[in-house]
PDB file of all heavy atoms in Angstrom:
ATOM      1  N   LEU A 724       0.797  -1.215   0.000  1.00 93.00           N
ATOM      2  CA  LEU A 724       0.000   0.000   0.000  1.00 93.00           C
ATOM      3  C   LEU A 724       0.834   1.272   0.000  1.00 93.00           C
ATOM      4  O   LEU A 724       0.437   2.265  -0.614  1.00 93.00           O
ATOM      5  CB  LEU A 724      -0.972   0.000   1.189  1.00 93.00           C
ATOM      6  CG  LEU A 724      -1.967  -1.167   1.210  1.00 93.00           C
ATOM      7  CD1 LEU A 724      -2.869  -1.066   2.418  1.00 93.00           C
ATOM      8  CD2 LEU A 724      -2.764  -1.229  -0.076  1.00 93.00           C
ATOM      9  N   ASP A 725       1.988   1.269   0.657  1.00 95.00           N
ATOM     10  CA  ASP A 725       2.836   2.465   0.638  1.00 95.00           C
ATOM     11  C   ASP A 725       3.382   2.725  -0.764  1.00 95.00           C
ATOM     12  O   ASP A 725       3.435   3.877  -1.206  1.00 95.00           O
ATOM     13  CB  ASP A 725       3.986   2.332   1.641  1.00 95.00           C
ATOM     14  CG  ASP A 725       3.502   2.399   3.084  1.00 95.00           C
ATOM     15  OD1 ASP A 725       2.538   3.152   3.354  1.00 95.00           O
ATOM     16  OD2 ASP A 725       4.075   1.693   3.936  1.00 95.00           O
ATOM     17  N   GLU A 726       3.773   1.664  -1.454  1.00 96.00           N
ATOM     18  CA  GLU A 726       4.252   1.826  -2.836  1.00 96.00           C
ATOM     19  C   GLU A 726       3.121   2.292  -3.740  1.00 96.00           C
ATOM     20  O   GLU A 726       3.318   3.124  -4.621  1.00 96.00           O
ATOM     21  CB  GLU A 726       4.837   0.515  -3.355  1.00 96.00           C
ATOM     22  CG  GLU A 726       6.140   0.132  -2.690  1.00 96.00           C
ATOM     23  CD  GLU A 726       6.618  -1.228  -3.149  1.00 96.00           C
ATOM     24  OE1 GLU A 726       6.992  -1.346  -4.346  1.00 96.00           O
ATOM     25  OE2 GLU A 726       6.602  -2.171  -2.325  1.00 96.00           O
ATOM     26  N   TRP A 727       1.915   1.747  -3.514  1.00 96.00           N
ATOM     27  CA  TRP A 727       0.738   2.167  -4.291  1.00 96.00           C
ATOM     28  C   TRP A 727       0.476   3.650  -4.053  1.00 96.00           C
ATOM     29  O   TRP A 727       0.261   4.397  -4.999  1.00 96.00           O
ATOM     30  CB  TRP A 727      -0.469   1.311  -3.906  1.00 96.00           C
ATOM     31  CG  TRP A 727      -1.744   1.739  -4.554  1.00 96.00           C
ATOM     32  CD1 TRP A 727      -2.101   1.565  -5.861  1.00 96.00           C
ATOM     33  CD2 TRP A 727      -2.839   2.415  -3.937  1.00 96.00           C
ATOM     34  NE1 TRP A 727      -3.350   2.084  -6.092  1.00 96.00           N
ATOM     35  CE2 TRP A 727      -3.815   2.612  -4.913  1.00 96.00           C
ATOM     36  CE3 TRP A 727      -3.078   2.854  -2.639  1.00 96.00           C
ATOM     37  CZ2 TRP A 727      -5.028   3.238  -4.642  1.00 96.00           C
ATOM     38  CZ3 TRP A 727      -4.275   3.480  -2.366  1.00 96.00           C
ATOM     39  CH2 TRP A 727      -5.238   3.670  -3.365  1.00 96.00           C
ATOM     40  N   LEU A 728       0.509   4.069  -2.795  1.00 96.00           N
ATOM     41  CA  LEU A 728       0.274   5.470  -2.463  1.00 96.00           C
ATOM     42  C   LEU A 728       1.327   6.369  -3.118  1.00 96.00           C
ATOM     43  O   LEU A 728       1.031   7.492  -3.504  1.00 96.00           O
ATOM     44  CB  LEU A 728       0.286   5.638  -0.947  1.00 96.00           C
ATOM     45  CG  LEU A 728      -0.308   6.908  -0.378  1.00 96.00           C
ATOM     46  CD1 LEU A 728      -1.774   7.066  -0.766  1.00 96.00           C
ATOM     47  CD2 LEU A 728      -0.161   6.914   1.133  1.00 96.00           C
ATOM     48  N   GLY A 729       2.536   5.846  -3.289  1.00 95.00           N
ATOM     49  CA  GLY A 729       3.602   6.600  -3.943  1.00 95.00           C
ATOM     50  C   GLY A 729       3.349   6.876  -5.418  1.00 95.00           C
ATOM     51  O   GLY A 729       4.039   7.694  -6.015  1.00 95.00           O
ATOM     52  N   LEU A 730       2.366   6.211  -6.007  1.00 97.00           N
ATOM     53  CA  LEU A 730       2.014   6.464  -7.407  1.00 97.00           C
ATOM     54  C   LEU A 730       1.131   7.701  -7.578  1.00 97.00           C
ATOM     55  O   LEU A 730       0.856   8.108  -8.699  1.00 97.00           O
ATOM     56  CB  LEU A 730       1.276   5.256  -8.001  1.00 97.00           C
ATOM     57  CG  LEU A 730       2.045   3.951  -8.110  1.00 97.00           C
ATOM     58  CD1 LEU A 730       1.142   2.859  -8.673  1.00 97.00           C
ATOM     59  CD2 LEU A 730       3.287   4.115  -8.980  1.00 97.00           C
ATOM     60  N   PHE A 731       0.679   8.280  -6.473  1.00 96.00           N
ATOM     61  CA  PHE A 731      -0.263   9.394  -6.539  1.00 96.00           C
ATOM     62  C   PHE A 731       0.434  10.744  -6.478  1.00 96.00           C
ATOM     63  O   PHE A 731       1.398  10.931  -5.740  1.00 96.00           O
ATOM     64  CB  PHE A 731      -1.294   9.288  -5.403  1.00 96.00           C
ATOM     65  CG  PHE A 731      -2.344   8.256  -5.651  1.00 96.00           C
ATOM     66  CD1 PHE A 731      -2.083   6.916  -5.391  1.00 96.00           C
ATOM     67  CD2 PHE A 731      -3.579   8.614  -6.160  1.00 96.00           C
ATOM     68  CE1 PHE A 731      -3.040   5.952  -5.630  1.00 96.00           C
ATOM     69  CE2 PHE A 731      -4.545   7.656  -6.394  1.00 96.00           C
ATOM     70  CZ  PHE A 731      -4.272   6.323  -6.127  1.00 96.00           C
ATOM     71  N   HIS A 732      -0.089  11.674  -7.235  1.00 97.00           N
ATOM     72  CA  HIS A 732       0.353  13.066  -7.237  1.00 97.00           C
ATOM     73  C   HIS A 732      -0.035  13.692  -5.890  1.00 97.00           C
ATOM     74  O   HIS A 732      -1.061  13.325  -5.312  1.00 97.00           O
ATOM     75  CB  HIS A 732      -0.336  13.799  -8.405  1.00 97.00           C
ATOM     76  CG  HIS A 732       0.127  15.176  -8.622  1.00 97.00           C
ATOM     77  ND1 HIS A 732      -0.360  16.246  -7.901  1.00 97.00           N
ATOM     78  CD2 HIS A 732       1.045  15.680  -9.480  1.00 97.00           C
ATOM     79  CE1 HIS A 732       0.222  17.347  -8.314  1.00 97.00           C
ATOM     80  NE2 HIS A 732       1.083  17.038  -9.272  1.00 97.00           N
ATOM     81  N   PRO A 733       0.746  14.646  -5.368  1.00 96.00           N
ATOM     82  CA  PRO A 733       0.404  15.268  -4.081  1.00 96.00           C
ATOM     83  C   PRO A 733      -0.987  15.920  -4.046  1.00 96.00           C
ATOM     84  O   PRO A 733      -1.587  16.040  -2.985  1.00 96.00           O
ATOM     85  CB  PRO A 733       1.495  16.320  -3.875  1.00 96.00           C
ATOM     86  CG  PRO A 733       2.633  15.865  -4.726  1.00 96.00           C
ATOM     87  CD  PRO A 733       2.030  15.114  -5.879  1.00 96.00           C
ATOM     88  N   GLU A 734      -1.505  16.316  -5.202  1.00 97.00           N
ATOM     89  CA  GLU A 734      -2.829  16.950  -5.264  1.00 97.00           C
ATOM     90  C   GLU A 734      -3.895  15.986  -5.790  1.00 97.00           C
ATOM     91  O   GLU A 734      -4.943  16.417  -6.271  1.00 97.00           O
ATOM     92  CB  GLU A 734      -2.771  18.188  -6.149  1.00 97.00           C
ATOM     93  CG  GLU A 734      -1.844  19.259  -5.622  1.00 97.00           C
ATOM     94  CD  GLU A 734      -1.643  20.401  -6.599  1.00 97.00           C
ATOM     95  OE1 GLU A 734      -2.308  20.428  -7.657  1.00 97.00           O
ATOM     96  OE2 GLU A 734      -0.808  21.275  -6.305  1.00 97.00           O
ATOM     97  N   ALA A 735      -3.642  14.705  -5.675  1.00 97.00           N
ATOM     98  CA  ALA A 735      -4.547  13.704  -6.244  1.00 97.00           C
ATOM     99  C   ALA A 735      -5.889  13.664  -5.514  1.00 97.00           C
ATOM    100  O   ALA A 735      -5.998  14.022  -4.343  1.00 97.00           O
ATOM    101  CB  ALA A 735      -3.899  12.326  -6.202  1.00 97.00           C
ATOM    102  N   VAL A 736      -6.871  13.179  -6.245  1.00 95.00           N
ATOM    103  CA  VAL A 736      -8.191  12.909  -5.688  1.00 95.00           C
ATOM    104  C   VAL A 736      -8.584  11.491  -6.096  1.00 95.00           C
ATOM    105  O   VAL A 736      -8.258  11.038  -7.194  1.00 95.00           O
ATOM    106  CB  VAL A 736      -9.235  13.959  -6.154  1.00 95.00           C
ATOM    107  CG1 VAL A 736      -9.436  13.936  -7.648  1.00 95.00           C
ATOM    108  CG2 VAL A 736     -10.545  13.778  -5.416  1.00 95.00           C
ATOM    109  N   TYR A 737      -9.234  10.793  -5.169  1.00 93.00           N
ATOM    110  CA  TYR A 737      -9.667   9.407  -5.388  1.00 93.00           C
ATOM    111  C   TYR A 737     -11.170   9.371  -5.156  1.00 93.00           C
ATOM    112  O   TYR A 737     -11.636   9.698  -4.066  1.00 93.00           O
ATOM    113  CB  TYR A 737      -8.914   8.490  -4.428  1.00 93.00           C
ATOM    114  CG  TYR A 737      -9.267   7.020  -4.490  1.00 93.00           C
ATOM    115  CD1 TYR A 737      -9.421   6.367  -5.702  1.00 93.00           C
ATOM    116  CD2 TYR A 737      -9.419   6.284  -3.331  1.00 93.00           C
ATOM    117  CE1 TYR A 737      -9.718   5.018  -5.747  1.00 93.00           C
ATOM    118  CE2 TYR A 737      -9.718   4.929  -3.367  1.00 93.00           C
ATOM    119  CZ  TYR A 737      -9.868   4.308  -4.577  1.00 93.00           C
ATOM    120  OH  TYR A 737     -10.173   2.975  -4.631  1.00 93.00           O
ATOM    121  N   LEU A 738     -11.932   9.007  -6.180  1.00 90.00           N
ATOM    122  CA  LEU A 738     -13.394   9.072  -6.135  1.00 90.00           C
ATOM    123  C   LEU A 738     -14.030   7.721  -6.415  1.00 90.00           C
ATOM    124  O   LEU A 738     -13.610   7.006  -7.326  1.00 90.00           O
ATOM    125  CB  LEU A 738     -13.912  10.055  -7.192  1.00 90.00           C
ATOM    126  CG  LEU A 738     -13.452  11.500  -7.100  1.00 90.00           C
ATOM    127  CD1 LEU A 738     -13.779  12.241  -8.389  1.00 90.00           C
ATOM    128  CD2 LEU A 738     -14.076  12.173  -5.902  1.00 90.00           C
ATOM    129  N   ILE A 739     -15.051   7.400  -5.624  1.00 87.00           N
ATOM    130  CA  ILE A 739     -15.946   6.288  -5.949  1.00 87.00           C
ATOM    131  C   ILE A 739     -17.356   6.810  -5.752  1.00 87.00           C
ATOM    132  O   ILE A 739     -17.859   6.896  -4.621  1.00 87.00           O
ATOM    133  CB  ILE A 739     -15.715   5.053  -5.058  1.00 87.00           C
ATOM    134  CG1 ILE A 739     -14.272   4.581  -5.116  1.00 87.00           C
ATOM    135  CG2 ILE A 739     -16.666   3.923  -5.490  1.00 87.00           C
ATOM    136  CD1 ILE A 739     -13.968   3.399  -4.201  1.00 87.00           C
ATOM    137  N   PRO A 740     -18.020   7.219  -6.846  1.00 85.00           N
ATOM    138  CA  PRO A 740     -19.406   7.663  -6.711  1.00 85.00           C
ATOM    139  C   PRO A 740     -20.323   6.469  -6.442  1.00 85.00           C
ATOM    140  O   PRO A 740     -19.951   5.324  -6.705  1.00 85.00           O
ATOM    141  CB  PRO A 740     -19.709   8.297  -8.072  1.00 85.00           C
ATOM    142  CG  PRO A 740     -18.738   7.669  -9.010  1.00 85.00           C
ATOM    143  CD  PRO A 740     -17.526   7.297  -8.208  1.00 85.00           C
ATOM    144  N   THR A 741     -21.498   6.742  -5.914  1.00 80.00           N
ATOM    145  CA  THR A 741     -22.440   5.647  -5.721  1.00 80.00           C
ATOM    146  C   THR A 741     -22.829   5.108  -7.090  1.00 80.00           C
ATOM    147  O   THR A 741     -22.949   5.862  -8.059  1.00 80.00           O
ATOM    148  CB  THR A 741     -23.705   6.108  -4.979  1.00 80.00           C
ATOM    149  OG1 THR A 741     -24.347   7.131  -5.743  1.00 80.00           O
ATOM    150  CG2 THR A 741     -23.394   6.600  -3.584  1.00 80.00           C
ATOM    151  N   PRO A 742     -23.039   3.801  -7.192  1.00 76.00           N
ATOM    152  CA  PRO A 742     -23.408   3.223  -8.493  1.00 76.00           C
ATOM    153  C   PRO A 742     -24.728   3.769  -9.035  1.00 76.00           C
ATOM    154  O   PRO A 742     -24.955   3.773 -10.237  1.00 76.00           O
ATOM    155  CB  PRO A 742     -23.520   1.727  -8.201  1.00 76.00           C
ATOM    156  CG  PRO A 742     -22.685   1.517  -6.987  1.00 76.00           C
ATOM    157  CD  PRO A 742     -22.800   2.775  -6.187  1.00 76.00           C
ATOM    158  N   GLU A 743     -25.582   4.261  -8.143  1.00 73.00           N
ATOM    159  CA  GLU A 743     -26.876   4.772  -8.573  1.00 73.00           C
ATOM    160  C   GLU A 743     -26.770   6.163  -9.198  1.00 73.00           C
ATOM    161  O   GLU A 743     -27.638   6.584  -9.931  1.00 73.00           O
ATOM    162  CB  GLU A 743     -27.843   4.817  -7.380  1.00 73.00           C
ATOM    163  CG  GLU A 743     -28.208   3.448  -6.850  1.00 73.00           C
ATOM    164  CD  GLU A 743     -27.113   2.814  -5.984  1.00 73.00           C
ATOM    165  OE1 GLU A 743     -26.258   3.549  -5.435  1.00 73.00           O
ATOM    166  OE2 GLU A 743     -27.101   1.578  -5.887  1.00 73.00           O
ATOM    167  N   ASP A 744     -25.716   6.905  -8.876  1.00 70.00           N
ATOM    168  CA  ASP A 744     -25.538   8.257  -9.391  1.00 70.00           C
ATOM    169  C   ASP A 744     -24.059   8.479  -9.670  1.00 70.00           C
ATOM    170  O   ASP A 744     -23.277   8.727  -8.753  1.00 70.00           O
ATOM    171  CB  ASP A 744     -26.049   9.289  -8.393  1.00 70.00           C
ATOM    172  CG  ASP A 744     -26.020  10.706  -8.959  1.00 70.00           C
ATOM    173  OD1 ASP A 744     -25.488  10.912 -10.075  1.00 70.00           O
ATOM    174  OD2 ASP A 744     -26.536  11.603  -8.286  1.00 70.00           O
ATOM    175  N   LEU A 745     -23.670   8.376 -10.916  1.00 61.00           N
ATOM    176  CA  LEU A 745     -22.263   8.457 -11.291  1.00 61.00           C
ATOM    177  C   LEU A 745     -21.801   9.881 -11.580  1.00 61.00           C
ATOM    178  O   LEU A 745     -20.845  10.094 -12.307  1.00 61.00           O
ATOM    179  CB  LEU A 745     -22.001   7.565 -12.505  1.00 61.00           C
ATOM    180  CG  LEU A 745     -22.224   6.072 -12.267  1.00 61.00           C
ATOM    181  CD1 LEU A 745     -22.038   5.286 -13.552  1.00 61.00           C
ATOM    182  CD2 LEU A 745     -21.298   5.546 -11.189  1.00 61.00           C
ATOM    183  N   SER A 746     -22.454  10.860 -10.966  1.00 66.00           N
ATOM    184  CA  SER A 746     -22.075  12.249 -11.164  1.00 66.00           C
ATOM    185  C   SER A 746     -20.645  12.482 -10.697  1.00 66.00           C
ATOM    186  O   SER A 746     -20.153  11.828  -9.784  1.00 66.00           O
ATOM    187  CB  SER A 746     -23.030  13.157 -10.389  1.00 66.00           C
ATOM    188  OG  SER A 746     -22.536  14.473 -10.357  1.00 66.00           O
ATOM    189  N   ASP A 747     -19.986  13.441 -11.302  1.00 68.00           N
ATOM    190  CA  ASP A 747     -18.610  13.775 -10.929  1.00 68.00           C
ATOM    191  C   ASP A 747     -18.531  14.759  -9.774  1.00 68.00           C
ATOM    192  O   ASP A 747     -17.461  14.977  -9.247  1.00 68.00           O
ATOM    193  CB  ASP A 747     -17.870  14.382 -12.124  1.00 68.00           C
ATOM    194  CG  ASP A 747     -17.253  13.321 -13.003  1.00 68.00           C
ATOM    195  OD1 ASP A 747     -17.071  12.188 -12.544  1.00 68.00           O
ATOM    196  OD2 ASP A 747     -16.948  13.638 -14.162  1.00 68.00           O
ATOM    197  N   ASP A 748     -19.631  15.352  -9.394  1.00 71.00           N
ATOM    198  CA  ASP A 748     -19.581  16.429  -8.416  1.00 71.00           C
ATOM    199  C   ASP A 748     -19.923  15.935  -7.011  1.00 71.00           C
ATOM    200  O   ASP A 748     -21.084  15.771  -6.672  1.00 71.00           O
ATOM    201  CB  ASP A 748     -20.549  17.539  -8.823  1.00 71.00           C
ATOM    202  CG  ASP A 748     -20.421  18.770  -7.945  1.00 71.00           C
ATOM    203  OD1 ASP A 748     -19.571  18.774  -7.036  1.00 71.00           O
ATOM    204  OD2 ASP A 748     -21.175  19.727  -8.192  1.00 71.00           O
ATOM    205  N   PRO A 749     -18.896  15.684  -6.180  1.00 69.00           N
ATOM    206  CA  PRO A 749     -19.155  15.211  -4.816  1.00 69.00           C
ATOM    207  C   PRO A 749     -19.916  16.226  -3.961  1.00 69.00           C
ATOM    208  O   PRO A 749     -20.460  15.880  -2.927  1.00 69.00           O
ATOM    209  CB  PRO A 749     -17.764  14.954  -4.240  1.00 69.00           C
ATOM    210  CG  PRO A 749     -16.847  14.934  -5.400  1.00 69.00           C
ATOM    211  CD  PRO A 749     -17.482  15.759  -6.474  1.00 69.00           C
TER     212      PRO A 749
END
């Protein structure tokens, strides 16, 4: 997991919208 986290940009965002509403706006 630490190596995986190292793949992310410092300003990264990780999103999982609900399957019922796949809107991009949290």
Side-chain angles (χ1 to χ4, degrees):
L724 300 180
D725 290 325
E726 290 175 68
W727 175 74
L728 197 59
L730 296 178
F731 284 81
H732 186 277
E734 297 172 6
V736 63
Y737 178 44
L738 300 166
I739 304 177
T741 60
E743 293 77 22
D744 186 353
L745 296 176
S746 169
D747 274 341
D748 187 1

